[in-house]
Amino acid sequence: MAEVTLSSFIVLGVALFMLLNSAAIAVYAERRVAAFIQNRMGPNRVGPAGLLQPIADVLKLLLKEDVTPTEGNKFIHAVAPMIPVITALMTVAVIPFGEGLYATNINASVLYLLAVASLGVYGVTLAGWASNSKYSLLGGLRAAAQMISYELPLGMAVASVVIFVGSLRVVDIAAYQETWWFFFLNPLGAIIFIIAAFAESNRTPFDLVEAEQELVGGFHTEYSSMKFGMFFLAEYMHVVINSMLMTTFFFGAYHLPFAGYWLPELSPLVKGILDVSVFTIKTGFFMFLFIWVRWTIPRFKYNQVMKLGWSRLLPLSIANFIVIAAILFFIVN
Amino acid sequence: MDTFIFIFLAVLTIGSGLGMVLNRNTVNSALFLVLNMVSIAGIYLLLQAQFLALIQILVYAGAIMVLFLFVIMLLNLDDERSLFSKVRAKYISAFFLGVVTLSLILYSLEGVADLLPEISPEMETAGTVEALGDVLYTDYLFAFEMTAILLTAAVVGALMIAQYKKSNNGASE
């Protein structure tokens, strides 16, 4: 078993701190960008330019009364909101933020990412069931069905990257993209991954889980106070995590475009600062993309979501995988 | 430390297995089974079989059990009152406290520390994806391919049965 070094702890601590705060920043950004897109002001009263708004929100949530349904299963009702938060926090353990800046480099870290993501479904499903409300249950079941359906194209898109690298380590995948990002080598895979990531994090146009017109609030209809706050936090953490994964798998991780061709050798400190800045800027761009899409594109119907997942994206991703495998085997080798 | 973690995981595995069998509530049974699978994955991890541990979580806990829950939740909608009134938080905390206490008692028994055999140093390399893939696609290729064909046949068969019923109903109407 590999030794756990001090630098792992430092990277993990900083990453977890940044992730928790980035969820707050994502909430603020969502409200400001939404306001900008809808041509209004947005929150601008609390603190300079409304920057302290997330703190005010959390304070408000903490002071709200915590209501639990009498006929519901109280224990599962209380545990369910923690699951998506925990799985989101577990993900950062394997993401490289720069050359050598990662918490762990386990042998099958790509599978680890998929395994952790698949556990996140429980939070939503159990929340829906434990609330003992038809809206919650339907929302939870929809979420489970949708997340299972889109896990497959997501996995195939990641697999089409893995065969380039020949390693299941996320660190190797990031290092491989020094000259050519996978977005240029495997554009179809990148698009499939982005669509599936949107569906996995239950964001518009795939937010049928909480479609207000049909399901009141979806799986969190019966949630209030900080338990609702946890779901809210988890949603934005998943936005950040999925932005990080898009960056890592398809948009060069911490590398500048075609950096292998023109970037000179830098000292470790400068390289580290550059790597982390590049990674953060790319992640920020994808977070903006998530928000931009949410306030631009209307929601799909449920049958359209299922049809897109199973009869469009899945065959497309398998075909993409086979074509790439054939090209790599017959032409490159 | 390894011994204690092993004993804790073993007690948790057996306890959650018993909980799954003895529980009347189907959803609770399914959740105990999830706990069981995750603790077995922990034991695999202790044996340095990283790939097996991840696959255990990815396939069993992540995919199969979600589908199980999905079906159970849809089937049990009628008698929901009886479902909810049974479970209390105190039983669940009693279960976890019992597991922790029992594993502490077992650990503190004399001579338990050298009960576990040493993990073979070859496991460091044998448990990785590369080693497993190497063996799977050379020595055990035939068995692997046969399993693949069997699984595909099962999936196609399930689809056939589902579609047959549907078209049959349609014809009779």
Side-chain angles (χ1 to χ4, degrees):
Chain A
M1 211 170 279
E3 283 288 304
V4 182
T5 56
L6 184 64
S7 72
S8 311
F9 282 119
I10 294 172
V11 171
L12 196 61
V14 172
L16 287 176
F17 180 74
M18 297 305 275
L19 181 65
L20 283 167
N21 284 318
S22 66
I25 292 167
V27 175
Y28 171 73
E30 169 113 287
R31 298 178 70 174
R32 288 297 286 205
V33 173
F36 170 70
I37 288 174
Q38 296 174 338
N39 204 8
R40 54 188 172 83
M41 294 301 285
N44 62 356
R45 295 289 135 177
V46 193
L51 264 173
L52 298 178
Q53 186 69 39
I55 297 171
D57 284 349
V58 169
L59 267 179
K60 187 202 78 171
L61 280 171
L62 281 174
L63 293 174
K64 287 267 178 183
E65 187 192 353
D66 182 19
V67 185
T68 42
T70 4
E71 288 296 316
N73 189 326
K74 291 203 180 73
F75 181 74
I76 296 179
H77 189 266
V79 168
M82 301 175 197
I83 298 172
V85 177
I86 292 170
T87 55
L89 290 174
M90 276 168 80
T91 315
V92 286
V94 294
I95 296 177
F97 300 96
E99 207 174 310
L101 287 176
Y102 47 80
T104 54
N105 185 12
I106 55 173
N107 183 255
S109 40
V110 170
L111 293 176
Y112 170 83
L113 284 176
L114 294 175
V116 168
S118 68
L119 284 182
V121 184
Y122 282 112
V124 178
T125 321
L126 290 179
W129 181 77
S131 301
N132 190 20
S133 140
K134 54 183 177 256
Y135 298 122
S136 302
L137 183 70
L138 283 174
L141 289 179
R142 272 189 181 188
Q146 179 180 324
M147 284 163 125
I148 291 173
S149 314
Y150 281 81
E151 247 164 43
L152 299 170
L154 190 88
M156 287 309 286
V158 173
S160 66
V161 162
V162 168
I163 51 172
F164 276 100
V165 188
S167 162
L168 279 171
R169 290 171 196 264
V170 179
V171 175
D172 291 351
I173 291 175
Y176 188 89
Q177 300 179 73
E178 189 170 6
T179 44
W180 285 88
W181 294 0
F182 281 122
F183 177 69
F184 300 117
L185 296 173
N186 181 10
L188 199 57
I191 291 164
I192 291 168
F193 185 87
I194 290 174
I195 295 172
F198 269 77
E200 280 282 297
S201 50
N202 292 326
R203 294 281 297 185
T204 333
F206 302 103
D207 64 341
L208 294 132
V209 174
E210 42 185 300
E212 293 90 350
Q213 295 90 335
E214 306 149 25
L215 292 178
V216 189
F219 63 91
H220 56 57
T221 308
E222 301 289 343
Y223 277 87
S224 56
S225 183
M226 206 50 209
K227 284 184 194 161
F228 168 74
M230 297 259 271
F231 276 124
F232 199 62
L233 185 73
E235 184 189 333
Y236 284 95
M237 280 203 294
H238 275 108
V239 167
V240 178
I241 287 288
N242 278 310
S243 309
M244 283 180 181
L245 293 185
M246 284 177 202
T247 312
T248 313
F249 282 129
F250 288 99
F251 292 88
Y254 45 84
H255 296 297
L256 283 165
F258 310 105
Y261 288 129
W262 57 270
L263 196 73
E265 193 82 6
L266 295 168
S267 72
L269 181 67
V270 179
K271 185 83 171 75
I273 293 170
L274 183 72
D275 284 351
V276 175
S277 319
V278 168
F279 189 88
T280 315
I281 289 169
K282 283 181 195 167
T283 308
F285 171 75
F286 284 109
M287 280 160 67
F288 175 72
L289 184 75
F290 267 102
I291 297 167
W292 187 9
V293 168
R294 170 161 181 187
W295 297 100
T296 313
I297 300 177
R299 174 185 302 142
F300 282 120
K301 285 191 290 185
Y302 191 63
N303 60 338
Q304 289 172 327
V305 170
M306 285 295 132
K307 202 175 170 187
L308 180 71
W310 287 102
S311 61
R312 302 271 193 283
L313 282 185
L314 186 60
L316 197 65
S317 58
I318 293 174
N320 180 47
F321 177 79
I322 291 172
V323 167
I324 286 176
I327 290 173
L328 284 177
F329 185 74
F330 290 114
I331 298 172
V332 179
N333 286 355
Chain B
M1 191 63 195
D2 272 10
T3 321
F4 179 69
I5 294 173
F6 171 76
I7 290 174
F8 175 72
L9 285 173
V11 172
L12 188 63
T13 310
I14 295 168
S16 54
L18 283 176
M20 181 239 154
V21 176
L22 297 177
N23 217 306
R24 285 229 180 125
N25 182 341
T26 31
V27 171
N28 282 340
S29 283
L31 291 178
F32 270 124
L33 192 54
V34 174
L35 191 63
N36 187 298
M37 307 246 173
V38 173
S39 45
I40 289 176
I43 292 179
Y44 286 151
L45 209 56
L46 215 57
L47 293 171
Q48 311 229 351
Q50 304 172 3
F51 182 71
L52 205 58
L54 286 172
I55 289 296
Q56 170 86 10
I57 291 180
L58 187 62
V59 175
Y60 286 103
I64 292 179
M65 284 318 294
V66 172
L67 290 176
F68 259 59
L69 267 182
F70 200 91
V71 173
I72 291 169
M73 284 176 186
L74 279 180
L75 287 182
N76 272 339
L77 283 177
D78 293 332
D79 48 348
E80 55 190 20
R81 239 172 192 286
S82 66
L83 279 182
F84 288 115
S85 53
K86 292 248 168 79
V87 193
R88 289 277 172 275
K90 67 179 174 192
Y91 292 125
I92 293 157
S93 31
F95 173 78
F96 285 107
L97 280 176
V99 166
V100 172
T101 319
L102 188 60
S103 47
L104 276 171
I105 291 172
L106 282 177
Y107 182 64
S108 61
L109 290 177
E110 262 180 78
V112 130
D114 36 83
L115 249 180
L116 287 185
E118 283 285 305
I119 298 167
S120 139
E122 289 157 26
M123 273 313 287
E124 188 89 18
T125 50
T128 62
V129 191
E130 289 88 355
L132 210 76
D134 208 31
V135 177
L136 210 58
Y137 284 95
T138 50
D139 293 0
Y140 301 103
L141 183 64
F142 182 69
F144 179 73
E145 292 294 337
M146 287 314 282
T147 318
I149 290 171
L150 201 66
L151 283 174
T152 316
V155 170
V156 172
L159 276 176
M160 277 293 288
I161 292 168
Q163 294 295 322
Y164 174 75
K165 268 190 177 169
K166 199 179 168 191
S167 64
N168 209 19
N169 286 345
S172 64
E173 274 168 14

mmCIF file of all heavy atoms in Angstrom, chain A residues 30-51:
data_model
loop_
_atom_site.group_PDB
_atom_site.id
_atom_site.type_symbol
_atom_site.label_atom_id
_atom_site.label_comp_id
_atom_site.label_asym_id
_atom_site.label_seq_id
_atom_site.Cartn_x
_atom_site.Cartn_y
_atom_site.Cartn_z
ATOM 1 N N GLU A 30 -24.597 31.673 -9.908
ATOM 2 C CA GLU A 30 -25.846 31.295 -10.573
ATOM 3 C C GLU A 30 -26.856 32.442 -10.531
ATOM 4 O O GLU A 30 -27.451 32.801 -11.534
ATOM 5 C CB GLU A 30 -26.411 30.053 -9.889
ATOM 6 C CG GLU A 30 -27.818 29.729 -10.312
ATOM 7 C CD GLU A 30 -27.915 28.452 -11.081
ATOM 8 O OE1 GLU A 30 -27.493 28.467 -12.243
ATOM 9 O OE2 GLU A 30 -28.384 27.450 -10.527
ATOM 10 N N ARG A 31 -26.990 33.042 -9.345
ATOM 11 C CA ARG A 31 -28.003 34.089 -9.213
ATOM 12 C C ARG A 31 -27.621 35.340 -9.991
ATOM 13 O O ARG A 31 -28.476 35.988 -10.600
ATOM 14 C CB ARG A 31 -28.211 34.408 -7.735
ATOM 15 C CG ARG A 31 -28.716 33.193 -6.991
ATOM 16 C CD ARG A 31 -28.897 33.436 -5.537
ATOM 17 N NE ARG A 31 -30.027 34.331 -5.293
ATOM 18 C CZ ARG A 31 -30.469 34.619 -4.070
ATOM 19 N NH1 ARG A 31 -29.886 34.092 -3.022
ATOM 20 N NH2 ARG A 31 -31.482 35.431 -3.905
ATOM 21 N N ARG A 32 -26.328 35.665 -9.998
ATOM 22 C CA ARG A 32 -25.906 36.862 -10.735
ATOM 23 C C ARG A 32 -26.012 36.643 -12.243
ATOM 24 O O ARG A 32 -26.480 37.521 -12.980
ATOM 25 C CB ARG A 32 -24.457 37.231 -10.375
ATOM 26 C CG ARG A 32 -24.294 37.790 -9.002
ATOM 27 C CD ARG A 32 -25.018 39.075 -8.800
ATOM 28 N NE ARG A 32 -24.380 40.220 -9.448
ATOM 29 C CZ ARG A 32 -24.523 41.475 -9.053
ATOM 30 N NH1 ARG A 32 -25.261 41.758 -8.001
ATOM 31 N NH2 ARG A 32 -23.936 42.440 -9.698
ATOM 32 N N VAL A 33 -25.563 35.461 -12.710
ATOM 33 C CA VAL A 33 -25.609 35.197 -14.146
ATOM 34 C C VAL A 33 -27.051 35.104 -14.625
ATOM 35 O O VAL A 33 -27.403 35.630 -15.692
ATOM 36 C CB VAL A 33 -24.811 33.915 -14.492
ATOM 37 C CG1 VAL A 33 -24.995 33.533 -15.946
ATOM 38 C CG2 VAL A 33 -23.348 34.107 -14.193
ATOM 39 N N ALA A 34 -27.907 34.449 -13.802
ATOM 40 C CA ALA A 34 -29.320 34.361 -14.151
ATOM 41 C C ALA A 34 -29.902 35.762 -14.303
ATOM 42 O O ALA A 34 -30.615 36.056 -15.266
ATOM 43 C CB ALA A 34 -30.075 33.587 -13.072
ATOM 44 N N ALA A 35 -29.571 36.637 -13.350
ATOM 45 C CA ALA A 35 -30.064 38.007 -13.406
ATOM 46 C C ALA A 35 -29.559 38.694 -14.667
ATOM 47 O O ALA A 35 -30.312 39.397 -15.353
ATOM 48 C CB ALA A 35 -29.619 38.759 -12.163
ATOM 49 N N PHE A 36 -28.294 38.485 -15.000
ATOM 50 C CA PHE A 36 -27.714 39.118 -16.191
ATOM 51 C C PHE A 36 -28.431 38.627 -17.449
ATOM 52 O O PHE A 36 -28.787 39.417 -18.319
ATOM 53 C CB PHE A 36 -26.223 38.789 -16.253
ATOM 54 C CG PHE A 36 -25.578 39.179 -17.541
ATOM 55 C CD1 PHE A 36 -25.389 40.518 -17.854
ATOM 56 C CD2 PHE A 36 -25.180 38.214 -18.459
ATOM 57 C CE1 PHE A 36 -24.803 40.879 -19.049
ATOM 58 C CE2 PHE A 36 -24.599 38.582 -19.649
ATOM 59 C CZ PHE A 36 -24.418 39.923 -19.948
ATOM 60 N N ILE A 37 -28.688 37.293 -17.520
ATOM 61 C CA ILE A 37 -29.327 36.734 -18.714
ATOM 62 C C ILE A 37 -30.767 37.220 -18.818
ATOM 63 O O ILE A 37 -31.262 37.498 -19.912
ATOM 64 C CB ILE A 37 -29.242 35.181 -18.672
ATOM 65 C CG1 ILE A 37 -27.795 34.750 -18.924
ATOM 66 C CG2 ILE A 37 -30.148 34.548 -19.719
ATOM 67 C CD1 ILE A 37 -27.549 33.293 -18.763
ATOM 68 N N GLN A 38 -31.443 37.379 -17.684
ATOM 69 C CA GLN A 38 -32.831 37.832 -17.708
ATOM 70 C C GLN A 38 -32.949 39.353 -17.621
ATOM 71 O O GLN A 38 -34.046 39.876 -17.405
ATOM 72 C CB GLN A 38 -33.596 37.190 -16.552
ATOM 73 C CG GLN A 38 -33.677 35.691 -16.692
ATOM 74 C CD GLN A 38 -34.287 35.034 -15.493
ATOM 75 O OE1 GLN A 38 -34.298 35.595 -14.401
ATOM 76 N NE2 GLN A 38 -34.793 33.826 -15.680
ATOM 77 N N ASN A 39 -31.828 40.039 -17.741
ATOM 78 C CA ASN A 39 -31.810 41.505 -17.785
ATOM 79 C C ASN A 39 -32.400 42.127 -16.518
ATOM 80 O O ASN A 39 -33.271 42.991 -16.565
ATOM 81 C CB ASN A 39 -32.577 42.000 -19.017
ATOM 82 C CG ASN A 39 -32.118 43.388 -19.423
ATOM 83 O OD1 ASN A 39 -31.143 43.892 -18.870
ATOM 84 N ND2 ASN A 39 -32.799 43.982 -20.376
ATOM 85 N N ARG A 40 -31.971 41.643 -15.351
ATOM 86 C CA ARG A 40 -32.342 42.292 -14.091
ATOM 87 C C ARG A 40 -31.091 42.390 -13.213
ATOM 88 O O ARG A 40 -29.997 42.057 -13.665
ATOM 89 C CB ARG A 40 -33.475 41.529 -13.405
ATOM 90 C CG ARG A 40 -33.198 40.062 -13.193
ATOM 91 C CD ARG A 40 -34.440 39.330 -12.687
ATOM 92 N NE ARG A 40 -34.196 37.904 -12.675
ATOM 93 C CZ ARG A 40 -33.577 37.254 -11.698
ATOM 94 N NH1 ARG A 40 -33.138 37.912 -10.655
ATOM 95 N NH2 ARG A 40 -33.390 35.961 -11.757
ATOM 96 N N MET A 41 -31.276 42.829 -11.943
ATOM 97 C CA MET A 41 -30.099 43.162 -11.149
ATOM 98 C C MET A 41 -29.475 41.955 -10.436
ATOM 99 O O MET A 41 -28.264 41.830 -10.354
ATOM 100 C CB MET A 41 -30.461 44.225 -10.094
ATOM 101 C CG MET A 41 -30.837 45.566 -10.669
ATOM 102 S SD MET A 41 -29.537 46.293 -11.658
ATOM 103 C CE MET A 41 -28.438 46.833 -10.365
ATOM 104 N N GLY A 42 -30.289 41.096 -9.842
ATOM 105 C CA GLY A 42 -29.744 40.006 -9.051
ATOM 106 C C GLY A 42 -29.399 40.482 -7.658
ATOM 107 O O GLY A 42 -29.546 41.670 -7.339
ATOM 108 N N PRO A 43 -28.931 39.577 -6.773
ATOM 109 C CA PRO A 43 -28.637 39.973 -5.395
ATOM 110 C C PRO A 43 -27.458 40.941 -5.346
ATOM 111 O O PRO A 43 -26.364 40.614 -5.795
ATOM 112 C CB PRO A 43 -28.303 38.646 -4.709
ATOM 113 C CG PRO A 43 -27.901 37.738 -5.800
ATOM 114 C CD PRO A 43 -28.656 38.157 -7.012
ATOM 115 N N ASN A 44 -27.676 42.145 -4.809
ATOM 116 C CA ASN A 44 -26.573 43.121 -4.755
ATOM 117 C C ASN A 44 -26.597 43.945 -3.474
ATOM 118 O O ASN A 44 -26.015 45.005 -3.402
ATOM 119 C CB ASN A 44 -26.603 44.043 -5.979
ATOM 120 C CG ASN A 44 -27.874 44.863 -6.042
ATOM 121 O OD1 ASN A 44 -28.767 44.683 -5.214
ATOM 122 N ND2 ASN A 44 -27.952 45.740 -7.004
ATOM 123 N N ARG A 45 -27.304 43.449 -2.417
ATOM 124 C CA ARG A 45 -27.441 44.246 -1.204
ATOM 125 C C ARG A 45 -26.486 43.816 -0.100
ATOM 126 O O ARG A 45 -25.972 44.638 0.632
ATOM 127 C CB ARG A 45 -28.882 44.142 -0.663
ATOM 128 C CG ARG A 45 -29.924 44.728 -1.564
ATOM 129 C CD ARG A 45 -29.843 46.229 -1.590
ATOM 130 N NE ARG A 45 -29.938 46.677 -2.960
ATOM 131 C CZ ARG A 45 -29.962 47.934 -3.340
ATOM 132 N NH1 ARG A 45 -29.916 48.895 -2.455
ATOM 133 N NH2 ARG A 45 -30.019 48.253 -4.605
ATOM 134 N N VAL A 46 -26.297 42.485 0.057
ATOM 135 C CA VAL A 46 -25.501 41.989 1.182
ATOM 136 C C VAL A 46 -24.023 42.048 0.809
ATOM 137 O O VAL A 46 -23.555 41.278 -0.028
ATOM 138 C CB VAL A 46 -25.899 40.537 1.535
ATOM 139 C CG1 VAL A 46 -25.329 40.137 2.870
ATOM 140 C CG2 VAL A 46 -27.394 40.366 1.517
ATOM 141 N N GLY A 47 -23.292 42.956 1.426
ATOM 142 C CA GLY A 47 -21.871 43.049 1.146
ATOM 143 C C GLY A 47 -21.617 43.707 -0.199
ATOM 144 O O GLY A 47 -22.547 44.032 -0.933
ATOM 145 N N PRO A 48 -20.332 43.899 -0.564
ATOM 146 C CA PRO A 48 -20.005 44.544 -1.842
ATOM 147 C C PRO A 48 -20.486 43.705 -3.016
ATOM 148 O O PRO A 48 -20.155 42.525 -3.109
ATOM 149 C CB PRO A 48 -18.475 44.647 -1.806
ATOM 150 C CG PRO A 48 -18.047 43.657 -0.780
ATOM 151 C CD PRO A 48 -19.144 43.540 0.214
ATOM 152 N N ALA A 49 -21.327 44.286 -3.881
ATOM 153 C CA ALA A 49 -21.890 43.612 -5.065
ATOM 154 C C ALA A 49 -22.616 42.324 -4.682
ATOM 155 O O ALA A 49 -22.700 41.388 -5.459
ATOM 156 C CB ALA A 49 -20.794 43.325 -6.101
ATOM 157 N N GLY A 50 -23.126 42.245 -3.447
ATOM 158 C CA GLY A 50 -23.878 41.071 -3.033
ATOM 159 C C GLY A 50 -23.038 39.849 -2.758
ATOM 160 O O GLY A 50 -23.549 38.740 -2.706
ATOM 161 N N LEU A 51 -21.730 40.028 -2.549
ATOM 162 C CA LEU A 51 -20.838 38.871 -2.415
ATOM 163 C C LEU A 51 -21.103 38.061 -1.150
ATOM 164 O O LEU A 51 -20.780 36.882 -1.096
ATOM 165 C CB LEU A 51 -19.376 39.341 -2.412
ATOM 166 C CG LEU A 51 -18.675 39.288 -3.755
ATOM 167 C CD1 LEU A 51 -17.308 39.923 -3.662
ATOM 168 C CD2 LEU A 51 -18.542 37.851 -4.228
#
